[in-house]
Amino acid sequence: METSPARPDAERSGSPAAAGDGRGSVELQGVTKKFGTFTAVDDIDLEIGDGEFFTMLGPSGCGKTTTLRMIAGFEQPTQGEVLIDGQDVAGLPAYKRPTNTVFQNYALFPHMTLEENVAFGLKRKKVPKDEIKRRVADELERVGLSGEATRKPAQLSGGQQQRVALARALVNLPKVLLLDEPLGALDLKLRKGLQVELKKIQEEVGITFVYVTHDQEEALTMSDRIAIMNKGRIEQCAGPEEVYEKPATTFVAGFIGVSNLLPARVISGSEVAIEDGPTVSTPDAAGFTTGEELFAVVRPEKLEVSTPGQAPGDRPGIEGVVESSLFLGTATQLGVTVADGSKLTVLVPNASEEERQRLPGGGARVYLSWEPEHMHLVTESPGEDGTENFQPMQTQDQGDQTK
Amino acid sequence: MNLWSRIRENAVLYIGILVIFYMLAPIVVIAIFSFNDPTGKFNFEWAGFTTQYWAGAFDNEEINRSLWLSIRLAFFTSLGATILGTLIALALVRYEFFGRKAANLLIVIPIATPEVVIGAALLSLFVYASAALGFTTLLIAHIMFSISFAVIVVRSRLIGFDRRLEEAAADLGAAPLTTFFRITLPLLAPGIAGALMLTFALSVDDFVISNFNAGAEVTFPLYIFGANQRGIPVQVNVIATILFAVTIIAMTFVILQQRRAEKMVEKRADDDKKASVAIPI
Ligand SMILES: Nc1ncnc2c1ncn2[C@@H]1O[C@H](COP(=O)(O)OP(=O)(O)OP(=O)(O)O)[C@@H](O)[C@H]1O
Ligand SMILES: [Mg+2]
């Protein structure tokens, strides 16, 4: 209570239902959800730690919302268990769970003022009136809407509504806050600003955030850990850097920014043979069995372009023909077709105009080389061709920033 | 030629005016004749201006009794029909059950059935059950034919209802009953109010079905019909005009409400534009 009343920490210590008591963990054990014969979520296991900013990332329809709804209690798993704070919550209805949700469309109560919206959860918990008043005022102040307390949601802009939705959930200090694409409906500029704000708030209150998004950039910038989902399964669950640098599958490599996939085969515990290309020694190979077919991933900015025959040193490389050249401002993007017919993307930073002029144009034969440590091995996603998921260039830039 | 092309250009307007005149003329006549001072029993010929019937609008005992009966009947009818109609609409929209599609269709049948048929059928039912005709049988009959309308009005509101609001309430710790009274019901209120008004009006207005099932009771429409033989008192015009005015006021109220809701939506779109400019990032 030593800080000003606007400080959220102050009332957290004063409230008996305070979160941040170190027990906001979520665990999914073999959770499957079927709708009829369709499997929306397929046998997933997750362990989310207390106070973690955990993101579920994946394309539309991969089962992110369904997973979140099972944690919130709106859906019951067909199989498997959900544990919150170590407790199996099977059969516990949504209104009895220690979670709160920020819905994608906000779902603000249109017939109530902002104040009433934010106070709704506290009233259900029978928190004393004056405490409700104080906490609601503090929360509205935190999200910068004190002046609008008596307005109705319909009188607010999208960004403001999003803040109210956040305040309405956060004011209850849940053990776990579930956020379903909370910034999905906002324009880019607003989204960027709120990303920073959300992350700050999460660090401030220390509540576990389970965040759903299909925006890889958002996931990379905000999360402590990311689970990348595809077709109801989790393909990889790791920190943002690991996900970006060491994707586990072709799908992950494709979904997190542009990746070049070269078919390859493991020939020993320390070497892989690139199809129609060189044999490269890499410590990554130790994780696979000899003879396994997989893919070597090299990020577009890690490929170096040179004239065939003039290759620098003993770097592994592959020959190809330039198909396209695209000026992107800070970089030039080359499309190169290599021997086995696959198309690689190369990103050459634009240092100066004259350097750019020297870049090979369409039809030129080039040699693409890379440092062995920049090459990473991934397995093919089950039933998935990772190359389908190549993302537009902006994504690549974002990936760079996170490193 | 000039005149002809002018008429052609504005044909929609002229026809519109004619149609409106056609629709409103009878009502205007009734209002005008509420100021008439008829010489004989019949109030069909203009005989001079007077406000005496407005001053003594409620002087006729017989009219008052029938009017009061109609209002009481309409009150309970709208209440009963709207409560039942709301529950039926909830069941039809929200729950999957055997025969739901059929029920959705069957619910409009009373609207499509000729009133004479409903009236006669109800009468034979009451006779078969040896129920004494009177207020109760009238109420049962009125609720019966009003329910369909209530269901339709509430159902349309329910179909546009965002179920995620109820999930949001549950998420914030509201038990199902709390959610129903705090979220569902308030948001359905405009539909429910609409159903109340509509069923009230239908009940006050009904003649055919009442005629079969009233027994010795005389509702306002039944009174007017009876009085028509002997000459309708001018008070009937006065009361009809009052009823009409009340309807107009209620409608204006509803329209204004609608306008306000639309303005809010516009304002919100404006704010969005402003916000995306104002927030420095
Ligand atoms: N109630 C339901 N009944 C039938 N199918 C459903 C239901 N809810 C979800 N699904 C299906 O399950 C799959 C996963 O849905 P989910 O909403 O979890 O996807 P998502 O990852 O959140 O996608 P998005 O990014 O589009 O929100 C989809 O194919 C969807 O059609
Ligand atoms: Mg979703």
Side-chain angles (χ1 to χ4, degrees):
Chain A
M1 292 292 153
E2 73 284 8
T3 41
S4 80
R7 293 287 305 159
D9 317 40
E11 74 237 17
R12 266 210 289 143
S13 52
S15 152
D21 42 13
R23 288 182 284 113
S25 69
V26 178
E27 232 179 293
L28 304 190
Q29 295 174 348
V31 169
T32 297
K33 178 69 190 180
K34 290 190 174 150
F35 294 109
T37 56
F38 177 77
T39 307
V41 172
D42 193 0
D43 189 23
I44 64 172
D45 293 291
L46 271 185
E47 258 182 70
I48 302 170
D50 176 54
E52 193 173 7
F53 196 120
F54 189 88
T55 299
M56 287 192 281
L57 172 67
S60 188
C62 71
K64 306 180 295 288
T65 299
T66 307
T67 308
L68 213 60
R69 288 171 61 80
M70 287 190 284
I71 302 174
F74 299 129
E75 308 274 7
Q76 299 300 326
T78 313
Q79 250 163 48
E81 274 117 55
V82 178
L83 285 81
I84 300 173
D85 180 17
Q87 302 279 313
D88 188 347
V89 290
L92 202 63
Y95 67 93
K96 287 187 181 159
R97 294 198 184 188
T99 58
N100 283 123
T101 307
V102 178
F103 293 84
Q104 173 160 14
N105 66 335
Y106 317 137
L108 299 177
F109 306 130
H111 58 301
M112 297 183 191
T113 63
L114 299 201
E115 250 170 352
E116 289 164 346
N117 264 281
V118 177
F120 191 87
L122 295 177
K123 278 189 193 152
R124 303 287 83 76
K125 283 194 208 156
K126 307 251 181 321
V127 173
K129 272 215 176 81
D130 43 342
E131 190 187 333
I132 292 183
K133 219 173 155 193
R134 187 169 49 81
R135 283 169 73 175
V136 168
D138 289 353
E139 203 60 46
L140 281 174
E141 175 152 350
R142 193 219 303 272
V143 297
L145 287 169
S146 299
E148 334 276 336
T150 54
R151 291 175 108 188
K152 293 267 179 76
Q155 296 168 293
L156 298 181
S157 73
Q160 289 173 322
Q161 291 186 32
Q162 202 286 325
R163 287 155 198 263
V164 180
L166 186 66
R168 186 178 68 175
L170 268 182
V171 75
N172 305 296
L173 298 164
K175 285 182 179 165
V176 181
L177 187 69
L178 308 169
L179 302 99
D180 192 359
E181 309 206 19
L183 309 180
L186 304 175
D187 64 41
L188 189 69
K189 221 167 144 194
L190 208 53
R191 208 158 65 211
K192 288 266 167 69
L194 284 169
Q195 279 173 13
V196 176
E197 235 173 273
L198 258 178
K199 179 71 185 165
K200 214 184 89 207
I201 288 173
Q202 194 264 339
E203 280 163 1
E204 207 172 87
V205 297
I207 290 173
T208 311
F209 272 37
V210 183
Y211 193 94
V212 161
T213 179
H214 62 253
D215 182 339
Q216 49 274 63
E217 172 220 323
E218 200 166 282
L220 289 170
T221 51
M222 300 172 81
S223 323
D224 294 328
R225 277 194 309 150
I226 304 171
I228 291 137
M229 288 186 74
N230 182 29
K231 298 188 172 164
R233 295 169 169 276
I234 291 177
E235 299 242 340
Q236 187 173 11
C237 181
E241 277 162 44
E242 188 176 340
V243 163
Y244 184 78
E245 295 292 348
K246 295 190 164 76
T249 65
T250 51
F251 174 82
V252 176
F255 197 74
I256 304 281
V258 180
S259 274
N260 294 312
L261 299 174
L262 296 160
R265 198 159 52 84
V266 181
I267 55 174
S268 77
S270 63
E271 278 179 318
V272 289
I274 309 273
E275 208 176 298
D276 295 321
T279 297
V280 187
S281 56
T282 165
D284 269 19
F288 301 93
T289 53
T290 303
E292 198 173 340
E293 303 273 345
L294 37 62
F295 289 86
V297 178
V298 187
R299 294 279 173 194
E301 72 276 15
K302 304 292 191 203
L303 285 171
E304 198 174 305
V305 185
S306 54
T307 320
Q310 298 176 12
D314 54 353
R315 284 154 59 101
I318 193 164
E319 260 186 52
V321 178
V322 177
E323 297 281 331
S324 61
S325 171
L326 194 64
F327 177 63
L328 296 173
T330 58
T332 301
Q333 180 187 312
L334 299 178
V336 178
T337 306
V338 295
D340 72 331
S342 48
K343 209 174 155 172
L344 303 188
T345 307
V346 185
L347 208 62
V348 186
N350 290 333
S352 69
E353 179 59 20
E354 93 198 57
E355 206 174 300
R356 201 174 73 79
Q357 295 296 342
R358 281 208 304 274
L359 280 176
R365 287 200 72 78
V366 290
Y367 185 74
L368 303 175
S369 61
W370 63 88
E371 293 292 344
E373 76 242 38
H374 288 151
M375 188 186 82
H376 177 67
L377 301 178
V378 302
T379 55
E380 187 163 12
S381 299
E384 187 72 41
D385 178 4
T387 51
E388 277 169 20
N389 290 286
F390 276 0
Q391 298 295 309
M393 284 315 298
Q394 306 88 283
T395 318
Q396 183 57 46
D397 296 339
Q398 289 312 324
D400 275 343
Q401 283 169 15
T402 57
K403 281 182 299 166
Chain B
M1 219 52 223
N2 207 347
L3 181 72
W4 177 235
S5 70
R6 241 224 212 139
I7 289 175
R8 252 199 341 205
E9 264 169 38
N10 295 312
V12 174
L13 182 67
Y14 296 145
I15 292 172
I17 289 172
L18 278 176
V19 169
I20 288 174
F21 179 77
Y22 176 46
M23 292 194 310
L24 293 184
I27 296 163
V28 173
V29 167
I30 286 195
I32 291 172
F33 274 81
S34 70
F35 294 104
N36 192 17
D37 193 6
T39 44
K41 280 203 298 183
F42 293 98
N43 182 16
F44 296 142
E45 260 168 66
W46 188 257
F49 181 86
T50 175
T51 54
Q52 91 180 68
Y53 296 105
W54 277 87
F58 299 103
D59 281 355
N60 186 319
E61 261 312 305
E62 233 180 323
I63 294 180
N64 290 354
R65 230 181 303 123
S66 67
L67 188 64
W68 177 234
L69 171 67
S70 271
I71 288 173
R72 261 187 311 154
L73 183 61
F75 176 80
F76 289 112
T77 298
S78 66
L79 214 62
T82 303
I83 290 174
L84 289 172
T86 302
L87 296 177
I88 293 172
L90 276 166
L92 287 177
V93 174
R94 296 255 168 121
Y95 297 96
E96 272 305 331
F97 54 89
F98 176 76
R100 189 178 85 148
K101 283 220 171 80
N104 251 319
L105 270 175
L106 285 172
I107 206 74
V108 298
I109 284 192
I111 296 176
T113 311
E115 281 190 71
V116 205
V117 176
I118 295 180
L122 277 167
L123 176 61
S124 54
L125 208 67
F126 289 139
V127 171
Y128 180 74
S130 32
L133 296 183
F135 186 81
T136 315
T137 53
L138 268 177
L139 186 61
I140 291 171
H142 279 215
I143 290 179
M144 185 251 137
F145 75 76
S146 300
I147 282 181
S148 305
F149 293 91
V151 170
I152 286 170
V153 172
V154 177
R155 192 176 56 181
S156 68
R157 182 92 191 165
L158 260 177
I159 287 170
F161 193 98
D162 187 357
R163 297 288 316 257
R164 282 168 295 194
L165 294 174
E166 291 166 322
E167 283 187 350
D171 188 71
L172 291 164
L177 218 56
T178 315
T179 302
F180 182 75
F181 284 109
R182 302 256 167 188
I183 308 294
T184 316
L185 220 49
L187 288 175
L188 285 184
I192 291 173
L196 280 171
M197 281 198 244
L198 182 64
T199 49
F200 189 95
L202 285 170
S203 169
V204 167
D205 180 58
D206 179 72
F207 173 77
V208 179
I209 294 173
S210 305
N211 199 25
F212 280 98
N213 301 294
E217 299 282 356
V218 181
T219 65
F220 190 55
L222 290 178
Y223 167 79
I224 294 176
F225 184 77
N228 200 18
Q229 325 292 319
R230 313 169 253 131
I232 300 175
V234 184
Q235 276 94 340
V236 168
N237 288 49
V238 173
I239 289 167
T241 308
I242 292 173
L243 284 178
F244 180 68
V246 168
T247 313
I248 292 282
I249 290 166
M251 265 169 57
T252 313
F253 177 75
V254 170
I255 289 169
L256 284 181
Q257 194 85 350
Q258 197 99 9
R259 286 256 173 84
R260 233 184 45 178
E262 278 164 20
K263 274 217 188 94
M264 270 187 189
V265 173
E266 276 166 31
K267 171 148 183 22
R268 180 164 138 192
D270 276 356
D271 278 0
D272 254 335
K273 273 190 219 115
K274 268 185 244 145
S276 57
V277 178
I279 294 181
I281 296 156

